[in-house]
Amino acid sequence: MNTKNSIFGLFCLFMTSWMLMSATLYNFEIINSLTPLLKIMYNSTYQNTYHVSMSSNTWTLLLSVTASSIYIGAIIGGFGTNYLLNVLSRRSTMQLTHIIHIIGVLVISVCGGFTWSFGAIFIGRLITGISLGISYNLPTMVVAELSSRGSQGFWESLVGVSGLFGLFVAVVFGNPKVMGNMELWPYLVSLSIIPSIIYLIVSVLIPNTPFYLVRQGKHEEAIETLGKLRISNQVNVTKEMEAIKDEMKQVKAVTIVEMVTTKSYRNQFIAVVMLYLNLVLVGIDGVLMYSNLMFKEAGLTTSQASVATIGVFGAQLLAGVIGSTLVQKYGGRKMLIVSNIVIIISLTVCTISRGVPHSKHSAAVFVAVGAIGLFLIVWSAGTNPSIFALLAAITTEPTRPTAFGYAALLFWVSDCSVGVGFPFLQKYVEAYSLTPWLACSVVFLFFSIFFIPETKNKSVKEIQAKFGRSADEENKPLLNK
């Protein structure tokens, strides 16, 4: 069965894979550029309210809450995605997510912009966090149900690249000489609604997925939609529709109780959780949000720190594009192991170079900047694409929804811990703020070496055998636990 996406199918896939993730990750990163402005605004609001200047501890707490409030929303959004999909269609859920994102952005830019209220900014980031949590689940699912089999890998990787694009645009426009200043920051934040508005306008043209239509019993509409999404004759479209129906018949969902009480499922679930945690507990979000502060602590001026951040984020975007091809060539496990090794080296070098006394023109400054840049590039080219490739490879249709749903909950809780803890680590341990993530990286390296099975050129049966259960057993009753 050789089917390819039509021009209309490519349009639907691009709008689905690109718009939501790029918008939400832009909004996530923008706090990095606004940190100096937030301190001025928060101090002014604090003085007007309490008639005293804001203490250093208060500022650290407010910055931590500002950074972490988006994670609270993400926990709600990520865990709630499946519940939304039970009552709404794929397209309606995507539309609602974009609307939620727009509301959150407007609360920050309009309410926060006029009042300088940290409460408004907290609430706005909480709301945008809901859309961020959904964006880590929904586009991937919809792309898988819209795309032809042969090009699924490319479009799934594009979801990740769109997030890197959003991060890069946020860093560029967040430069004080562009829009990251007191006069323009509300407009800077508002830029992230542009992709959402575009999607909402064109979404009337985007159909629900054939999978969803089949689930709803709308078989004729599903065949008609599939015909629009593909360049193929009616025979191949019919064959693909039969494959979709056959795949859905074979799915037997595994509950969370079965997942944790059955040895083979439990091993698989642990592997999924550890991969999700490997994505975040190497300290990526702390580096993303506070790279400017880290560069300045390393000895760069504010202007130099901003330029350095733009440079490494640009390299990060390019690395993400290249990394997807490397994972395809060498396999996810090898790429993850190499990435963890390089991340350990970069975190170690960065910690040492930040810890030694130095002047603004010493070699240690450039070593620290280079180590942070290497960290971001390796995470983007290796860790990020390899983990998502492995997550799909080590799970099966019966286990994937449950494993992903509960692992995503732990993912966002861990993400929140990074956002909450990083400002305090920066304040109290300064140059050694990356040490906890260095320790976690060592754990993840050993886990990826000894517990993650090789998936490249391996069948589903061979992969599942590593967890103690054959693929043929996935659809059998669970008698022996």
Side-chain angles (χ1 to χ4, degrees):
M1 181 175 62
N2 183 22
T3 60
K4 294 183 179 180
N5 299 311
S6 65
I7 297 297
F8 176 69
L10 296 177
F11 166 78
C12 295
L13 284 164
F14 178 79
M15 288 295 165
T16 300
S17 64
W18 193 268
M19 293 302 176
L20 183 59
M21 185 68 89
S22 62
T24 54
L25 265 294
Y26 172 96
N27 188 270
F28 170 84
E29 169 58 23
I30 209 66
I31 191 66
N32 185 30
S33 302
L34 293 181
T35 300
L37 304 183
L38 289 176
K39 188 171 186 178
I40 296 172
M41 291 187 292
Y42 286 3
N43 187 53
S44 175
T45 302
Y46 193 88
Q47 283 183 322
N48 292 335
T49 303
Y50 301 105
H51 308 293
V52 293
S53 295
M54 184 174 61
S55 68
S56 174
N57 287 338
T58 301
W59 159 240
T60 302
L61 176 62
L62 291 176
L63 178 61
S64 178
V65 175
T66 302
S68 61
S69 56
I70 197 168
Y71 295 113
I72 306 300
I75 292 171
I76 297 171
F79 193 63
T81 303
N82 287 336
Y83 295 98
L84 286 175
L85 292 173
N86 287 334
V87 296
L88 298 174
S89 69
R90 302 291 191 263
R91 183 176 63 183
S92 296
T93 304
M94 188 71 76
Q95 290 169 331
L96 176 61
T97 306
H98 280 286
I99 291 172
I100 291 172
H101 177 72
I102 291 173
I103 293 172
V105 169
L106 292 178
V107 170
I108 297 172
S109 60
V110 177
C111 299
F114 278 111
T115 66
W116 286 13
S117 166
F118 36 78
I121 295 175
F122 294 164
I123 294 172
R125 283 181 64 79
L126 177 69
I127 296 172
T128 57
I130 296 175
S131 61
L132 175 63
I134 298 174
S135 73
Y136 265 70
N137 295 336
L138 185 61
T140 302
M141 184 185 304
V142 177
V143 164
E145 295 184 4
L146 284 175
S147 176
S148 64
R149 298 285 184 180
S151 63
Q152 271 187 14
F154 169 77
W155 288 103
E156 295 290 5
S157 66
L158 197 64
V159 176
V161 174
S162 71
L164 295 176
F165 175 78
L167 295 174
F168 177 67
V169 172
V171 171
V172 173
F173 282 87
N175 188 294
K177 295 181 179 180
V178 184
M179 297 182 71
N181 51 61
M182 196 61 75
E183 293 75 25
L184 296 177
W185 79 263
Y187 305 100
L188 171 68
V189 175
S190 299
L191 286 178
S192 67
I193 70 173
I194 294 176
S196 292
I197 291 175
I198 293 174
Y199 180 85
L200 290 173
I201 292 173
V202 304
S203 63
V204 294
L205 304 175
I206 300 176
N208 276 308
T209 70
F211 279 81
Y212 173 78
L213 294 172
V214 169
R215 289 188 187 100
Q216 300 301 308
K218 301 177 181 180
H219 298 278
E220 294 300 321
E221 187 178 347
I223 294 175
E224 181 182 349
T225 298
L226 195 59
K228 293 179 180 179
L229 295 171
R230 303 286 185 266
I231 301 176
S232 185
N233 56 44
Q234 189 61 40
V235 174
N236 284 337
V237 169
T238 302
K239 287 182 179 178
E240 184 173 355
M241 180 56 61
E242 290 303 317
I244 290 173
K245 293 178 180 178
D246 186 57
E247 179 179 336
M248 295 175 66
K249 286 179 182 177
Q250 293 178 359
V251 171
K252 173 186 177 295
V254 175
T255 66
I256 187 60
V257 174
E258 293 171 332
M259 186 73 74
V260 298
T261 58
T262 307
K263 180 181 178 181
S264 55
Y265 289 148
R266 184 167 61 248
N267 292 341
Q268 187 184 122
F269 183 58
I270 292 172
V272 170
V273 169
M274 289 296 287
L275 286 173
Y276 264 108
L277 295 183
N278 196 163
L279 198 62
V280 63
L281 287 186
V282 292
I284 181 63
D285 286 346
V287 176
L288 288 176
M289 288 193 294
Y290 303 107
S291 58
N292 274 353
L293 288 175
M294 293 174 64
F295 284 143
K296 284 190 285 187
E297 283 189 359
L300 298 184
T301 65
T302 300
S303 177
Q304 290 172 333
S306 182
V307 173
T309 299
I310 292 173
V312 296
F313 274 64
Q316 183 186 15
L317 175 60
L318 179 61
V321 176
I322 297 173
S324 59
T325 61
L326 294 177
V327 170
Q328 180 69 23
K329 182 177 181 180
Y330 296 107
R333 181 175 178 271
K334 289 185 179 69
M335 285 292 293
L336 181 60
I337 291 172
V338 172
S339 299
N340 279 331
I341 291 172
V342 179
I343 282 176
I344 290 170
I345 294 172
S346 64
L347 290 178
T348 302
V349 172
C350 182
T351 300
I352 294 173
S353 60
R354 291 172 68 203
V356 299
H358 56 76
S359 66
K360 292 185 177 180
H361 302 288
S362 69
V365 173
F366 300 101
V367 171
V369 172
I372 294 173
L374 178 63
F375 172 90
L376 289 171
I377 290 170
V378 170
W379 185 89
S380 302
T383 306
N384 192 32
S386 63
I387 283 178
F388 282 106
L390 287 168
L391 285 170
I394 69 172
T395 54
T396 59
E397 285 295 337
T399 62
R400 195 169 292 134
T402 301
F404 281 18
Y406 285 89
L409 176 63
L410 296 175
F411 168 82
W412 286 115
V413 171
S414 301
D415 231 1
C416 183
S417 70
V418 177
V420 172
F422 208 85
F424 292 97
L425 289 172
Q426 286 284 99
K427 178 180 174 61
Y428 293 110
V429 298
E430 298 178 344
Y432 303 98
S433 59
L434 295 173
T435 305
W437 322 127
L438 173 59
C440 289
S441 299
V442 173
V443 173
F444 294 135
L445 172 61
F446 279 97
F447 189 87
S448 60
I449 292 173
F450 296 108
F451 296 98
I452 298 297
E454 180 59 67
T455 59
K456 185 173 175 60
N457 298 325
K458 300 292 184 181
S459 67
V460 173
K461 184 176 182 179
E462 290 173 317
I463 295 170
Q464 292 308 309
K466 297 294 184 180
F467 295 117
R469 188 178 181 88
S470 69
D472 294 336
E473 292 179 288
E474 293 291 338
N475 296 318
K476 293 182 180 180
L478 298 174
L479 298 177
N480 300 317
K481 301 185 181 181

